[in-house]
Amino acid sequence: MPSYKAPLRDLKFVMYEVLKADKALSAMPYYAGNETADADLMDQVMEEAARFAENELLPLNAVGDQEGCVRDAQGNVTTPTGFKAAYTKFRQAGWTGLDADPKWGGQGMPHVVNIATSEMNISANTAWSMYPGLSHGAYSALVAHGSDELQALYLPKIVSGEWTGTMCLTEPHAGTDLGIIRTKAVSNGDGSYAISGTKIFISAGEHDFTDNIIHLVLARLEGSPEGTKGISLFLVPKFLVDASGKIGERNGVVCGSLEHKMGINGNATAVLNFDGATGYLVGEINKGMNNMFTMMNAARLGTGMQGLGLGEIAYQNAVAYAKDRLQMRHEPRVTPSEKADPIISYPDVRRMLLTGRAYSEAGRAMALWLALSLDTEHHHPDEAKRKEAADLVALLTPVAKAFMTDNGFNIAVQSQQVFGGHGYIREWGMEQFVRDARIGMIYEGTNSIQALDLLGRKVLMDGGKKLQGLASQVEALVNEVADDEELQGYADQLGKAAGQIATLTMVIGQKAMQNPDEANAAAVDYLRYMGHVTYAFLWVKMAKVALDAIKAGKDKDGFYKAKLQTAKFYFDKLFPETKMLSATIKAGGESLDVDMGMFGVEKDMATA
Amino acid sequence: MPSYKAPLRDLKFVMYEVLKADKALSAMPYYAGNETADADLMDQVMEEAARFAENELLPLNAVGDQEGCVRDAQGNVTTPTGFKAAYTKFRQAGWTGLDADPKWGGQGMPHVVNIATSEMNISANTAWSMYPGLSHGAYSALVAHGSDELQALYLPKIVSGEWTGTMCLTEPHAGTDLGIIRTKAVSNGDGSYAISGTKIFISAGEHDFTDNIIHLVLARLEGSPEGTKGISLFLVPKFLVDASGKIGERNGVVCGSLEHKMGINGNATAVLNFDGATGYLVGEINKGMNNMFTMMNAARLGTGMQGLGLGEIAYQNAVAYAKDRLQMRHEPRVTPSEKADPIISYPDVRRMLLTGRAYSEAGRAMALWLALSLDTEHHHPDEAKRKEAADLVALLTPVAKAFMTDNGFNIAVQSQQVFGGHGYIREWGMEQFVRDARIGMIYEGTNSIQALDLLGRKVLMDGGKKLQGLASQVEALVNEVADDEELQGYADQLGKAAGQIATLTMVIGQKAMQNPDEANAAAVDYLRYMGHVTYAFLWVKMAKVALDAIKAGKDKDGFYKAKLQTAKFYFDKLFPETKMLSATIKAGGESLDVDMGMFGVEKDMATA
């Protein structure tokens, strides 16, 4: 069975040494007032989270995969053995409200701490982590858009974990394209609405953890305009709730079936049938899509975390196996008393391991940076700082979601490869990481959709302003390390790539003015390029901190030297992907503009 | 459920128009004498194979995945519903002996035809295709190394499919490193041996298809030297066979368990326990490894075919879905009568589809080229031609195995991505292709081992002579199309890459003389570079044929135009990976030579 040790040392390195999060948070009255910006407290929370993930969640990971969730004829769902008990411990310890507002019973901890703990939960048990994860999304939507009445009635119980929440968006014919959903809402004349329709792919959509489940549902109010401008958001509880918060009769929503999936089997992916279910409007009529989008940044970063968490645990187990497995004889011999040497002795095996390490460490830095920026966006007293943080979050969230999940999947695949044939066998657990990691690239907006969001909405429609914000930070860092002999080479590569992405943006922008398909054709490669610029920036930043620590004589255990070596690996072996991307982006969309007959499409689809 | 249409048009294009296989085979007396080098006959065989794959094997593919194989307490294995019946039809139709020697009851068809049919079987049902596939490997080993007596007793029944064969190499502690296997052989004094030990990962190791299973087993004869030079090959039948070929008592080999795997669930992956089982020496004592290697080229090409076959069917289904699924509105609208347009309208979706198409079509060309070269190696009357073909096979077989399985897996993943959330749901069948494709990168020598074989054994140890053989063919083609306006650009890129690989080979070779780790560090990137040189060569070749056909007015259905457009896509979007690989190879092994403390390894492993 796979093992897992939470990367506390690295989390603290990023949080305090690289981001100086404790200092930054102390400048925000909200956290200062809650007394939650304290490094000691943050450490305690992370250490406790590490214990919970390692001891409570990890042992249930394989069980969840094997057993899956089971639905009975009435639509009740039983989660895998141990899942409910772990959830009960989790909520009793206060984890469900970790970064929730104390006003609703939350702990008021910074989002950056919550993101750190979520990495550990995901590593240990991705499928389980999605139950509180989805609930957190519902909390955010209600905080941002719910009426006082809805907030007072539902938030305390969602924050305490007594009830959980879901997000109901997708329908069988409408995934990326929510503008064409058919679920409808009809006014009941008493302020409530009757919701009818079918929602699919609802993660944590039905389960036995709690007495009630609060669904947030996108639906079209009768008479609303077509498309995304006619969609509203409704709260639909599984059981109706009276004014005192007491659970009443069953509402008209039932789990019609559970999907059989490639992975995340421990999470119930439900088809939910709404049949005149009573729902309550959240936010304004026809603003449902906007309301969803306001919390999308947090949800997408949360999905990116699945790439990070699964990559990390896959990497850790590949290292353990590579040290243990003896095959062939390295020259010179490493364990001459044995018939063969540990496979970690071979550079190619270390190439696979270091790929996991370099991507995971940069991903962790990116995730915490964005989470701290979310804290800044929401709580900094200075409006300019809030705006700056909001711009960075807007720009880099699609990158975090897509780049981290793509990399996480690839790390899982490469880590599985280290195991040879044993990696293909279920008992070793590596193939589960691959299957579990695959979904992150698909849901919460496919990675192609993230790329279109980045290039179209965040860069081109914005005239490159947000991109310029990042470029300024890159430039400042490049200048900061310009005289540093050890870092010059990296800074040089980073500076050139930042310049190159500005050029590529112009090239694409000009082509796209003639033909919008050109942006669509370039988007995925562009996002990966942006991912590398971001990771290169963070690797230079981390290398600088590490180098300073070494110079100050603080590297007793080799932690900082390892950072420098991993930075070198990143620039030598991973960053050169930008050379390929630069070429494929420059080649443009011409080669994609093929005769559709090659796919068996009639000459003129419009006549079909 | 996934659909599948065998790519007969493309198979024939490669076979006759690109490779001119019928002409080449007619020059070989073996095939001319067997009257099997005839294009009409080859067509008939391929068309019949297509029908079998589409109608008999495809419907069993999901069944096999869901049911898997079941072992009872006695070690008997039941294969999934329908598997045995399909096998019986298969062998009754003579497919098991398609390219086997008529001397043993085979059809004497060329290997190139067999490879074409195997692609179709794999696409339709990979797990099922492995039963006859493994049997074919045992056939080859016995033909090459078995005594007259063993051949006469076993080959007719393996060729007729009455019995099947396996290859038993791996042990729990010995995968890549067969030199340390522990299975032992003791002489019985009557010409037979008693074989004892445990073999794992034995594909098709136990099943209910046939009355007998013929295991070919690597074991160490007592008193033999340590390492690979002390290993012999033995034939161990499940049931003993008398001199007349009649089945007698059960031999001392039993299936101890079946592995639970990520995929290829319809194939029984057995742990086989040999307990003094009676075995017969195949070939000379202590030449077991050599004997295995003589048939490794065919087996490795066969594994590469799994990448091709699975990539092809995943691609086909992604195309079908992309035409069918309506999401968002393309500008200009494509199906204005609908609320949304087919997702194939978007360039990024076509990017994913064309990736599958370009890699599959080049892979098909490579596979048939190598298969025809195997025919030439074995049957051409001219020794120089045989040597030339053998060199090409030796050089490119590891490339075919690794490059085709890596690409096939990536195609499966990208094709799954086209389906969005539905790609993650089992019922759609796309996730099975991903799981089934994953093993090809691991078994039959991991793709890292293929890379080391290519760079170490096939290039550096050979002084680059085999590489020069390929380079000459590249040069000739580049010169051939030098004046062709439409192909110049591609030829130019191909020529430069061929020059670059010569340079990279020298750079690595020089570094490796100082430090053997440098070859190990570069190998995987080097293999992918070589893969692109090969595919670029084949794309120029195919584009030339297509262009000539268009010029001759033969392109009625757009087949040749599609070839040219796919070639352009390949050079615009896939071939630029060489820019990345060139950089990572040049960076050398320095960044992999890290302080092992970062992985928690004690300073001096030798003392551990």
Side-chain angles (χ1 to χ4, degrees), chain B residues 181-398:
Chain B
I181 61 167
R182 293 177 191 143
T183 296
K184 64 174 182 189
V186 179
S187 170
N188 288 329
D190 61 356
S192 74
Y193 296 82
I195 312 291
S196 300
T198 300
K199 294 288 180 180
I200 65 168
F201 299 162
I202 310 308
S203 297
E206 181 59 70
H207 57 73
D208 53 6
F209 283 10
T210 54
D211 295 335
N212 207 358
I213 302 176
I214 312 306
H215 304 292
L216 292 185
V217 185
L218 286 185
R220 188 177 301 284
L221 186 60
E222 50 175 0
S224 287
E226 289 227 333
T228 52
K229 287 181 177 136
I231 294 172
S232 306
L233 182 63
F234 297 90
L235 182 156
V236 183
K238 176 177 167 187
F239 286 92
L240 294 171
V241 175
D242 73 14
S244 74
K246 237 186 78 194
I247 283 179
E249 62 177 308
R250 180 68 191 257
N251 201 356
V253 49
V254 68
C255 170
S257 67
L258 293 181
E259 303 288 358
H260 301 101
K261 309 185 298 290
M262 183 183 194
I264 51 165
N265 289 330
N267 199 275
T269 305
V271 174
L272 291 184
N273 297 320
F274 295 84
D275 186 13
T278 302
Y280 309 95
L281 187 67
V282 177
E284 286 176 52
I285 286 174
N286 294 339
K287 296 287 183 198
M289 287 295 285
N290 293 7
N291 296 348
M292 277 286 169
F293 269 107
T294 56
M295 58 175 179
M296 212 65 112
N297 283 332
R300 289 183 167 176
L301 176 55
T303 305
M305 295 307 291
Q306 294 193 346
L308 176 60
L310 284 163
E312 170 68 27
I313 188 170
Y315 159 75
Q316 286 190 15
N317 283 279
V319 169
Y321 189 82
K323 291 193 287 186
D324 199 52
R325 175 78 170 175
L326 309 180
Q327 294 285 279
M328 309 303 286
R329 282 134 302 279
H330 183 264
E331 192 53 53
R333 289 297 309 276
V334 176
T335 50
S337 59
E338 304 283 346
K339 286 200 171 177
D341 293 314
I343 61 173
I344 201 169
S345 317
Y346 306 102
D348 183 64
V349 171
R350 292 198 298 273
R351 178 188 60 78
M352 294 189 269
L353 300 178
L354 283 162
T355 299
R357 186 176 180 117
Y359 273 136
S360 293
E361 290 184 0
R364 185 169 299 119
M366 184 181 195
L368 296 181
W369 184 31
L370 286 187
L372 183 62
S373 300
L374 277 166
D375 285 322
T376 307
E377 176 184 350
H378 294 136
H379 298 297
H380 203 284
D382 179 348
E383 198 192 326
K385 291 274 181 199
R386 288 202 303 273
K387 171 83 169 67
E388 191 185 288
D391 279 355
L392 187 82
V393 167
L395 180 73
L396 290 187
T397 294

Side-chain angles (χ1 to χ4, degrees), chain A residues 281-315:
Chain A
L281 188 66
V282 177
E284 287 176 51
I285 286 174
N286 294 340
K287 296 286 183 199
M289 287 296 285
N290 292 8
N291 296 348
M292 276 287 168
F293 268 108
T294 56
M295 57 173 178
M296 212 64 112
N297 284 333
R300 289 183 167 175
L301 176 56
T303 305
M305 295 307 291
Q306 294 192 346
L308 175 61
L310 284 163
E312 171 68 27
I313 188 169
Y315 158 76

Side-chain angles (χ1 to χ4, degrees), chain A residues 484-495:
Chain A
D484 216 324
E485 211 178 305
E486 290 92 337
L487 303 177
Q488 263 171 10
Y490 307 153
D492 190 46
Q493 288 185 65
L494 167 61

Side-chain angles (χ1 to χ4, degrees), chain A residues 212-227:
Chain A
N212 208 357
I213 302 176
I214 312 305
H215 304 293
L216 291 184
V217 186
L218 284 186
R220 187 179 300 284
L221 186 59
E222 50 174 359
S224 286
E226 289 229 331

Side-chain angles (χ1 to χ4, degrees), chain B residues 42-62:
Chain B
M42 292 196 275
D43 281 357
Q44 273 176 40
V45 168
M46 289 193 289
E47 283 157 20
E48 195 52 52
R51 276 190 288 275
F52 192 86
E54 293 165 3
N55 302 332
E56 305 292 337
L57 299 182
L58 182 67
L60 303 176
N61 192 41

Side-chain angles (χ1 to χ4, degrees), chain A residues 173 327 348 416 438 448, chain B residues 173 327 348 416 435 438 448:
Chain A
H173 70 294
Q327 294 286 278
D348 184 65
Q416 179 189 28
R438 184 66 186 88
S448 290
Chain B
H173 70 295
Q327 294 285 279
D348 183 64
Q416 180 189 26
R435 289 185 290 106
R438 183 67 186 87
S448 290

